Amino acid sequence: MKKDIILAGVGGQGILSIATVIGEAALTNGLHIKQAEVHGMSQRGGDVQSNLRLSTDPISSDLIPTGGADIIISLEPMEALRYVYALSKDGWVVTSSVPFINIDNYPDVEKINEHLAALDHVVVLDVEAIAKEAGAPAQASNMVLLGAASPMLGLKFDAVKDAVRKIFSRKGEAVVNTNIAALEAGYRYSQERINK
């Protein structure tokens, strides 16, 4: 098993929490993991990108080769498109549909949506609305996105849920439960679309 994952978004959206949960689930299941350092401005509002590599075999490099990414997980639609060049032929894009417009020349949202819709393997979802429907705060929208990406990760969903429990346990049972609810809501959303 090998999965090369690009995580993208804007500082403050929770990309690092997604990476932490995936990493915990992978390590618990005996996989090798490498993560490239986060590139970009990690403070709130700057673009953030990281490579995360999982494998049953040792991994020699922490960088994903061009055209080698199995999945792009993005909390921002323009940031998802920024890394499509790195996606493999059969790779997936799982992205939030909600733009984080933090620059004056942000591209036309309709054009972004057209580019996303033209991809062969894509799940686009309003993570904030789905989090709200699940009874979770907007801060848990990153877990909605992780849930939606879970079917493509090569990890058992229960392993991802257990990792969420472990990572958020120090914040109390209520936080764990809202993050699990958000994760499950994203997973259901994705399952309904990829199994059509």
Side-chain angles (χ1 to χ4, degrees), residues 1 5 13 18 20 22 28 56 59 61 66 75 94 99 101 104 114 117-118 131 133 137 148 152 159 179 182:
M1 183 277 220
I5 304 159
Q13 288 187 306
I18 291 174
T20 302
I22 294 172
T28 300
T56 49
I59 304 164
S61 173
T66 299
L75 276 157
V94 181
I101 302 175
D104 293 336
E114 286 173 16
E133 287 170 19
M152 298 86 167
N179 279 285

Side-chain angles (χ1 to χ4, degrees), residues 3 71 92 94 123 144-157 160 183 186-192 194-195:
K3 288 292 176 179
I71 183 169
W92 280 86
V94 181
V123 175
V144 171
L145 188 70
L146 175 57
S150 290
M152 298 86 167
L153 292 176
L155 299 168
K156 291 184 179 172
F157 186 62
V160 178
L183 183 81
Y187 182 76
R188 284 191 303 273
Y189 182 94
S190 184
Q191 287 288 80
E192 289 168 6
I194 63 175
N195 291 329

Side-chain angles (χ1 to χ4, degrees), residues 97-154:
S97 62
V98 181
F100 187 96
I101 302 175
N102 58 348
I103 53 175
D104 293 336
N105 61 344
Y106 191 92
D108 181 65
V109 175
E110 283 186 30
K111 290 206 183 305
I112 290 173
N113 291 334
E114 286 173 16
H115 286 295
L116 288 169
L119 298 173
D120 290 333
H121 303 103
V122 65
V123 175
V124 180
L125 63 163
D126 184 335
V127 293
E128 293 176 14
I130 293 170
K132 186 176 179 181
E133 287 170 19
Q139 294 92 329
S141 58
N142 62 337
M143 291 298 109
V144 171
L145 188 70
L146 175 57
S150 290
M152 298 86 167
L153 292 176

Side-chain angles (χ1 to χ4, degrees), residues 16-94:
L16 295 180
S17 293
I18 291 174
T20 302
V21 171
I22 294 172
E24 178 64 32
L27 289 173
T28 300
N29 284 278
L31 296 174
H32 296 270
I33 180 170
K34 282 214 182 225
Q35 182 178 3
E37 65 181 63
V38 174
H39 298 282
M41 298 168 50
S42 59
Q43 74 266 18
R44 185 169 297 278
D47 64 309
V48 176
Q49 180 269 340
S50 182
N51 291 352
L52 184 61
R53 307 187 79 190
L54 315 176
S55 179
T56 49
D57 299 316
I59 304 164
S60 55
S61 173
D62 55 1
L63 297 178
I64 298 169
T66 299
D70 298 299
I71 183 169
I72 296 170
I73 302 172
S74 181
L75 276 157
E76 209 289 326
M78 181 184 73
E79 294 301 323
L81 288 176
R82 185 188 305 262
Y83 299 104
V84 166
Y85 73 90
L87 201 60
S88 71
K89 182 176 70 82
D90 297 321
W92 280 86
V93 173
V94 181

